[in-house]
Amino acid sequence: MGFYPTRYEEIPNVDLLTWIFGGPEYDQDKDIYIDALDSTRRTTNRQARSTVRKLIYGFKLLGIKPGDSVLVHSFSDIMYPILYLGIIGAGASFVGSNPGNTPIELAHIFSQASIQCIITSPEQHSTIMLSINNISVPISHNNILIFNTPHHPSIPDGFQSWETLLKHGETPWEYFKDEKLSKEAITSLFSTSGTTGTPKIAALSHHATIARCIASYDPHPKPYPVSRLLCLPMFHGVAATASHIDPLRYGIPTYILPRFSLFPFLDAIEKYNVTETSMVPVIMSMILRGEAGTEEYTKRKLNSLRLVRCAGAPLDLGVQTSFQGQLDVNAKIQRAWGLTEFGTVTSFLQGEKDETGSCGRLLVNVEARIIDATGLEIFEEDVSGEVLVRGPSMATRYLGNEQATTDAFADGWLKTGDIAYCKAGKWYLVGRSKDMIKVRGWQVAPAELESCLMEHPYVTDVAVIGIKSTSQETELPRAYVVLRQTSDSKSEMEIPTEEELKTFLGSRLAKYKALGGGVRFVESLPKTATGKTMKLVLQEAALKELRNR
């Protein structure tokens, strides 16, 4: 028993590149990837295919072989998807990394994934080298390539450009048509905080990657010419379908921004008459707060949009309704819900416009169950519980973490950690069963922040929770800290302040993991009889504090 999709579709047992380049016919000389900051930089399907084949040859001459892993550490670019496909075409696995990661966070990735080659942008090169030197990663400088672009052309002394891979000719990708291989060979290793706990790496097979694309593809014809603007990070697992695969398979002109910046984002929509884009709720809130200018100005900038996909964090219905008012009357906002470990779970298709706050209907091939706190299954509609999902798009495992794999992937079902209910076929997210924090769409694991803060010599106990921001449509981490007691005036002068602890954490972790919710110093943390911190008590205290403001 459970909840089922309206249709199922067979997943072909072929390699990813054969599936992409064997897609529906369209003009192979049509521009597919266009640089939104410099539209003279663009690539067609024919050019992309040739460049991918050159990369494959270059990677093989570099010694990359099936089963190896290649890390890309960079902001987005029109050549980023080409790198992704070249890596996979060589039989290796793509490893995505947030360019904002610190050396400590990179070291965690290196400890889980065996990396044979690194491609890094010039700006991130020093961070990569610090991480490598600190943990003695055995990677030759010849296998550290610089992803230089016209926007960032410099190449550090002693290193080579990624373009050296393109100078040796072309060779075909690793082709196969085999069910066992399609389900075992790994295309991608995506960093994720998991449904619980500390950061992990989810392994995706060719079969799962193709299944994600099939699930999220809307077969209904659009009543407008489709062109997309991408500003969300290409290293992220859920974004991979829209950035690396769909454009080339379906011939979708796709404009790329290196990263999100409000004014370039709005300018690109207007300049190129973009009809579709994706964003996280905090971007909508920025626009609604008037950070871009007057309502008349933003309406003009957004006028060409016909579809706005929103995912990454819960979207307040009031924000959705207000943002809808900024769009053309024919435009719609399409919510979606997904996980790195699974891809998109629910969304709406072209013909349906929702104003109830639902995150959509189950996509093709996706099945779901709902269980209560005791593990008993819930069969009734409109009753909340933890959602379990299964389908061909599910990740194979957490790399090098058998316990986490066992905990999350049980009997073919993925425990999402999300609380939701289903009503009339539509799904509604309520919250999360665990204490993961969603910061502007990014998953932040409290355990990681707590572990880092515990390294401070004056911190003896700490608990991190997420609190609702009063000015942004997001959660923010807050730390409740117990300090070491001191007995002399000199030690008291060294006791850290709130700002000092924020700086301490900020020097070790990415910016989005900052303690934006503040620090509260307490004498002790509420504990259960077994010593577990009762975070619900802290959350209730935070809500009371918010109400009393």
Side-chain angles (χ1 to χ4, degrees):
M1 294 292 292
F3 300 86
Y4 303 96
T6 56
R7 68 187 178 92
Y8 291 86
E9 187 169 329
E10 186 176 353
I11 309 302
N13 294 309
V14 296
D15 65 275
L16 177 62
L17 272 69
T18 294
W19 186 78
I20 291 173
F21 289 110
E25 290 187 8
Y26 63 88
D27 182 1
Q28 301 297 287
D29 295 313
K30 174 184 179 180
D31 290 324
I32 299 299
Y33 290 115
I34 306 104
D35 187 331
L37 300 180
D38 177 9
S39 61
T40 63
R41 292 186 69 222
R42 48 184 63 211
T43 187
T44 67
N45 179 297
R46 194 183 308 278
Q47 292 167 334
R49 183 183 181 121
S50 174
T51 306
V52 166
R53 288 164 60 95
K54 290 177 181 177
L55 281 170
I56 293 169
Y57 202 167
F59 278 127
K60 289 189 174 184
L61 290 177
L62 201 64
I64 301 302
K65 59 187 182 301
D68 285 348
S69 301
V70 179
L71 176 79
V72 179
H73 187 63
S74 172
F75 289 104
S76 301
D77 185 78
I78 64 169
M79 299 310 293
Y80 196 118
I82 312 303
L83 275 176
Y84 169 87
L85 296 175
I87 292 166
I88 295 169
S93 300
F94 163 87
V95 183
S97 172
N98 186 336
N101 278 347
T102 66
I104 292 174
E105 291 165 316
L106 283 169
H108 183 71
I109 294 176
F110 289 135
S111 70
Q112 291 185 304
S114 177
I115 307 295
Q116 284 74 37
C117 177
I118 298 172
I119 300 175
T120 176
S121 60
E123 317 99 290
Q124 277 69 46
H125 173 260
S126 59
T127 306
I128 284 286
M129 297 312 297
L130 275 174
S131 181
I132 288 174
N133 293 335
N134 285 343
I135 63 173
S136 302
V137 175
I139 298 179
S140 164
H141 280 205
N142 292 332
N143 281 33
I144 301 174
L145 302 174
I146 307 302
F147 190 37
N148 57 304
T149 69
H151 300 301
H152 300 283
S154 63
I155 300 175
D157 291 341
F159 292 87
Q160 296 187 82
S161 166
W162 72 283
E163 294 173 326
T164 59
L165 297 171
L166 307 176
K167 298 180 178 180
H168 311 286
E170 300 183 19
T171 194
W173 54 78
E174 294 288 326
Y175 168 83
F176 58 79
K177 188 176 182 180
D178 178 84
E179 180 178 358
K180 185 174 185 291
L181 194 54
S182 73
K183 293 180 178 180
E184 292 181 354
I186 302 301
T187 63
S188 319
L189 299 170
F190 288 119
S191 294
T192 172
S193 293
T195 57
T196 62
T198 54
K200 306 169 185 69
I201 294 181
L204 269 67
S205 68
H206 286 254
H207 190 83
T209 305
I210 294 172
R212 292 181 177 208
C213 301
I214 290 174
S216 61
Y217 176 66
D218 189 343
H220 296 83
K222 304 289 180 67
Y224 53 83
V226 178
S227 61
R228 292 177 180 167
L229 174 65
L230 295 183
C231 66
L232 303 182
M234 289 185 168
F235 65 82
H236 196 279
V238 176
T241 297
S243 57
H244 306 333
I245 300 171
D246 281 358
L248 287 168
R249 176 164 172 86
Y250 301 111
I252 303 170
T254 303
Y255 297 85
I256 306 294
L257 282 170
R259 66 184 91 177
F260 173 76
S261 183
L262 185 56
F263 288 102
F265 175 73
L266 295 173
D267 290 343
I269 292 173
E270 181 184 39
K271 180 178 180 180
Y272 303 116
N273 289 311
V274 171
T275 56
E276 296 185 359
T277 193
S278 298
M279 57 180 71
V280 291
V282 69
I283 296 177
M284 290 186 179
S285 296
M286 290 172 66
I287 294 172
L288 290 174
R289 287 198 303 269
E291 293 187 22
T294 64
E295 182 174 328
E296 180 182 359
Y297 171 82
T298 55
K299 280 187 174 181
R300 174 168 59 84
K301 291 290 185 180
L302 300 171
N303 183 61
S304 64
L305 289 176
R306 293 296 177 267
L307 178 64
V308 176
R309 293 182 177 87
C310 187
L315 173 62
D316 180 79
L317 183 56
V319 172
Q320 176 180 336
T321 303
S322 298
F323 193 80
Q324 185 72 57
Q326 302 277 312
L327 303 175
D328 183 90
V329 66
N330 295 310
K332 75 169 186 175
I333 297 171
Q334 184 185 78
R335 292 190 186 209
W337 166 45
L339 306 91
T340 300
E341 294 87 346
F342 197 88
T344 308
V345 177
T346 63
S347 188
F348 287 107
L349 298 180
Q350 176 61 29
E352 190 167 13
K353 190 172 184 176
D354 177 76
E355 297 178 348
T356 68
S358 168
C359 59
R361 302 180 187 275
L362 291 176
L363 296 181
V364 59
N365 297 330
V366 179
E367 299 178 351
R369 295 167 56 205
I370 303 177
I371 59 174
D372 65 18
T374 66
L376 294 177
E377 190 160 359
I378 297 171
F379 301 105
E380 301 83 2
E381 288 200 342
D382 209 9
V383 179
S384 299
E386 181 180 1
V387 182
L388 282 65
V389 294
R390 74 176 177 187
S393 63
M394 190 159 59
T396 304
R397 63 188 182 280
Y398 289 129
L399 194 70
N401 196 330
E402 290 187 16
Q403 186 58 55
T405 299
T406 300
D407 292 342
F409 303 88
D411 299 321
W413 293 88
L414 171 67
K415 299 177 181 177
T416 67
D418 287 311
I419 302 296
Y421 64 90
C422 182
K423 184 176 182 180
K426 294 183 179 181
W427 287 78
Y428 298 83
L429 287 177
V430 176
R432 289 184 299 283
S433 62
K434 304 300 180 182
D435 59 357
M436 297 298 298
I437 304 170
K438 278 284 186 78
V439 180
R440 297 185 296 278
W442 299 112
Q443 289 255 40
V444 175
E448 184 183 23
L449 276 62
E450 292 161 356
S451 176
C452 190
L453 286 169
M454 286 297 292
E455 294 177 8
H456 193 285
Y458 276 82
V459 174
T460 61
D461 203 359
V462 61
V464 174
I465 64 170
I467 65 167
K468 185 76 171 179
S469 169
T470 56
S471 60
Q472 304 176 54
E473 194 66 28
T474 187
E475 287 183 305
L476 296 173
R478 170 183 286 182
Y480 287 82
V481 177
V482 179
L483 294 176
R484 175 168 60 86
Q485 294 186 351
T486 60
S487 57
D488 59 85
S489 58
K490 182 179 179 180
S491 296
E492 288 180 354
M493 293 177 64
E494 297 174 352
I495 293 176
T497 64
E498 176 176 348
E499 289 305 312
E500 287 171 342
L501 281 182
K502 287 181 176 180
T503 300
F504 178 83
L505 188 75
S507 67
R508 288 161 171 76
L509 301 179
K511 291 181 180 179
Y512 69 88
K513 298 176 183 177
L515 295 171
V519 177
R520 298 293 183 268
F521 295 102
V522 294
E523 292 185 2
S524 62
L525 295 174
K527 304 278 188 179
T528 65
T530 58
K532 184 177 180 180
T533 302
M534 296 186 290
K535 289 192 175 182
L536 182 59
V537 174
L538 300 177
Q539 289 165 346
E540 290 172 346
L543 285 172
K544 183 178 180 180
E545 177 183 325
L546 187 64
R547 287 195 295 267
N548 291 338
R549 283 183 179 177

